[in-house]
Amino acid sequence: MKGGGDKVEAEILEPYQLSCSDLLDRKRCQLISRNVMEALGPNGPGLLCITGVLGSATLLRRKLLPMARKLALLDPDKRNRILKEQHLGSDVPLKNPERLVSSFAMHLHYQPPSSNSSPWYDHGCGVGNTLDEDDDDDFNNLGLVFKELGFCMMELGLSIARVCDREIGGGFLEGTLLDSCTAKGRLIHYHSPADQSFLREAAQRRRKQSGKCINGSHFNLWQQWHYDYGIFTILTDPLFLSSHSCQDCNLIASHSYLRIYHPSKNNFYMVKTPQDSFIVQIGESADILSNGKLRSTLHCVCRPEQLEHISRETFAVFLQPKWSHTFSVSEHTTMEHIRSGSLQRRPILDTDEVSKADIHNIVPPLSSRIRDGMTFAEFSRETTKQYYGGSGLQSNR
């Protein structure tokens, strides 16, 4: 990515690639557990990618991701009907035609397989076996595909938790996830400037009002810098779509346009992931539960410059504790001081196209959002408030 007065190319980070077959083989898994902790621990970037996922996960991804753009650009009444039929909601204001992101969400309630049943990776995900990649019935299986891919990704998260627990000890991560058995799935469409113009014009036609056109070339981040606050975030490798030419998509296909800050290297990186891989990011709850032995990932999503017709589609599953889970943070203070000190020494530069302000003017520090004895529900509310509430640091961004 380039930006600012001085055009500077972002450095590329290729995360540790963990083979799904290694992750699921208990003997081989012991051999790679240290590599996993190096990637997810305090000296790593806080993320890795899983390759070679078996079953129907790849087909489900290819079926689901294009639906994000179609849903985002639908007539609002038709979209509301489809979302209701498919048991989906949204956690962004879809009535705002100038939004950068459209998100379609569902709470996923996971049932661990019984000891007598075959695991998902042996037989594939159920609905995936009936899918035809050329099926034109766009939204008929939307809810089913959403859930099946979500459950596959939850299984990946649980497998990562087992690996981390083996190194950390105590079994807290897997136990906390199984105690919750709940995650939030989000199908996300990152709007191109052309998409924004389309939505503005459609809104004006509906309201019979006139207004100035959107010039989308001025926004450079699809999503502002932040930490996820759950335990793990599992993401699909993104899909890029063009309303003009597939050549534009080919130009950026090797990049995720996920950008992270790597504290131990004191540097920003653009993340490059293999096609059809799944990205695992550490959230702040894992940071707390592990007493800093896992490190949450500060990240944003960048928009490709000078490609006004490119949109980005992804599916994210946020694995979290149950809402009533109570945090103990007394032993976490040291890790918070390390993180805060590192960020204070490195302000975000003009070339990063964020702000001249220090990172703490954009991201509320964890120490201001968590206290000993706080439940996950309280932590979630306080975090949302400090980021996006009326006086939140990103309320007007």
Side-chain angles (χ1 to χ4, degrees), residues 150 153-158 177 180 182-184 229-234 285 317-321 376:
M153 293 164 68
M154 289 177 77
E155 284 278 6
L156 293 176
L158 283 166
L177 291 176
S180 168
T182 302
K184 184 175 185 179
Y229 57 84
I231 294 178
F232 296 142
T233 303
I234 317 296
S285 291
V317 173
F318 300 88
L319 279 69
Q320 61 193 44
F376 178 68

Side-chain angles (χ1 to χ4, degrees), residues 67-233:
M67 294 189 199
R69 183 174 188 272
K70 293 176 182 178
L71 276 173
L73 302 184
L74 270 182
D75 171 79
D77 291 336
K78 184 177 181 181
R79 179 175 58 229
N80 289 339
R81 175 179 58 80
I82 291 170
L83 293 178
K84 185 176 181 180
E85 291 173 351
Q86 301 295 324
H87 307 289
L88 286 162
S90 180
D91 48 9
V92 300
L94 295 178
K95 292 183 179 180
N96 177 10
E98 298 185 30
R99 64 188 185 274
L100 299 181
V101 171
S102 292
S103 172
F104 309 101
M106 180 191 294
H107 285 286
L108 301 168
H109 302 284
Y110 173 72
Q111 294 294 329
S114 67
S115 58
N116 296 326
S117 63
S118 299
W120 64 273
Y121 47 82
D122 279 350
H123 54 72
C125 302
V127 72
N129 297 326
T130 66
L131 288 180
D132 182 348
E133 287 189 89
D134 297 322
D135 185 4
D136 290 329
D137 296 330
D138 289 341
F139 302 113
N140 283 352
N141 290 316
L142 170 60
L144 288 173
V145 175
F146 191 108
K147 286 192 287 188
E148 290 288 352
L149 183 56
F151 292 150
C152 290
M153 293 164 68
M154 289 177 77
E155 284 278 6
L156 293 176
L158 283 166
S159 297
I160 291 291
R162 282 191 286 271
V163 175
C164 294
D165 282 339
R166 183 178 290 113
E167 292 293 314
I168 296 171
F172 292 115
L173 291 174
E174 184 184 13
T176 302
L177 291 176
L178 290 175
D179 193 33
S180 168
C181 279
T182 302
K184 184 175 185 179
R186 296 180 72 207
L187 177 62
I188 307 171
H189 169 68
Y190 296 88
H191 292 241
S192 68
D195 290 341
Q196 284 192 293
S197 295
F198 173 85
L199 290 173
R200 169 63 73 84
E201 290 166 7
Q204 289 172 354
R205 287 195 300 271
R206 287 195 300 272
R207 298 171 186 170
K208 297 182 179 179
Q209 294 177 350
S210 61
K212 61 183 180 180
C213 296
I214 294 175
N215 183 355
S217 61
H218 289 283
F219 74 87
N220 48 56
L221 289 182
W222 268 316
Q223 191 169 27
Q224 188 56 268
W225 291 92
H226 67 284
Y227 292 99
D228 294 340
Y229 57 84
I231 294 178
F232 296 142
T233 303

Side-chain angles (χ1 to χ4, degrees), residues 18-35:
L18 173 60
S19 166
C20 187
S21 59
D22 287 344
L23 177 63
L24 301 176
D25 186 307
R26 292 187 179 274
K27 292 182 179 179
R28 291 156 72 185
C29 191
Q30 294 176 6
L31 301 176
I32 51 88
S33 58
R34 289 188 179 180
N35 292 333

Side-chain angles (χ1 to χ4, degrees), residues 115-373:
S115 58
N116 296 326
S117 63
S118 299
W120 64 273
Y121 47 82
D122 279 350
H123 54 72
C125 302
V127 72
N129 297 326
T130 66
L131 288 180
D132 182 348
E133 287 189 89
D134 297 322
D135 185 4
D136 290 329
D137 296 330
D138 289 341
F139 302 113
N140 283 352
N141 290 316
L142 170 60
L144 288 173
V145 175
F146 191 108
K147 286 192 287 188
E148 290 288 352
L149 183 56
F151 292 150
C152 290
M153 293 164 68
M154 289 177 77
E155 284 278 6
L156 293 176
L158 283 166
S159 297
I160 291 291
R162 282 191 286 271
V163 175
C164 294
D165 282 339
R166 183 178 290 113
E167 292 293 314
I168 296 171
F172 292 115
L173 291 174
E174 184 184 13
T176 302
L177 291 176
L178 290 175
D179 193 33
S180 168
C181 279
T182 302
K184 184 175 185 179
R186 296 180 72 207
L187 177 62
I188 307 171
H189 169 68
Y190 296 88
H191 292 241
S192 68
D195 290 341
Q196 284 192 293
S197 295
F198 173 85
L199 290 173
R200 169 63 73 84
E201 290 166 7
Q204 289 172 354
R205 287 195 300 271
R206 287 195 300 272
R207 298 171 186 170
K208 297 182 179 179
Q209 294 177 350
S210 61
K212 61 183 180 180
C213 296
I214 294 175
N215 183 355
S217 61
H218 289 283
F219 74 87
N220 48 56
L221 289 182
W222 268 316
Q223 191 169 27
Q224 188 56 268
W225 291 92
H226 67 284
Y227 292 99
D228 294 340
Y229 57 84
I231 294 178
F232 296 142
T233 303
I234 317 296
L235 303 123
T236 62
D237 180 47
L239 172 70
F240 293 94
L241 297 176
S242 172
S243 57
H244 275 196
S245 168
C246 289
Q247 267 189 328
D248 291 341
C249 295
N250 293 335
L251 290 174
I252 61 173
S254 62
H255 293 282
S256 67
Y257 280 84
L258 173 68
R259 200 168 197 193
I260 68 165
Y261 175 71
H262 195 319
S264 63
K265 293 186 180 296
N266 200 27
N267 205 0
F268 297 94
Y269 294 93
M270 194 79 79
V271 177
K272 181 178 180 179
T273 55
Q275 186 175 7
D276 293 330
S277 62
F278 290 84
I279 304 167
V280 179
Q281 286 184 184
I282 297 297
E284 289 176 317
S285 291
D287 203 328
I288 298 166
L289 288 168
S290 69
N291 289 324
K293 293 177 183 177
L294 297 175
R295 207 242 313 275
S296 47
T297 316
L298 177 63
H299 61 285
C300 69
V301 181
C302 302
R303 182 184 69 85
E305 291 189 356
Q306 301 176 355
L307 293 174
E308 303 251 327
H309 298 277
I310 293 290
S311 66
R312 182 182 189 268
E313 327 300 323
T314 194
F315 181 58
V317 173
F318 300 88
L319 279 69
Q320 61 193 44
K322 64 180 180 181
W323 294 111
S324 60
H325 179 90
T326 302
F327 288 113
S328 175
V329 298
S330 57
E331 298 178 23
H332 192 259
T333 309
T334 302
M335 185 61 194
E336 171 63 16
H337 286 166
I338 292 172
R339 180 194 294 164
S340 299
S342 175
L343 290 172
Q344 287 172 346
R345 290 195 299 271
R346 170 69 181 254
I348 293 180
L349 305 175
D350 286 337
T351 51
D352 291 303
E353 296 281 4
V354 180
S355 169
K356 292 182 178 180
D358 183 79
I359 188 67
H360 288 300
N361 293 332
I362 298 172
V363 178
L366 180 58
S367 57
S368 72
R369 295 179 280 114
I370 188 72
R371 65 178 183 274
D372 193 43

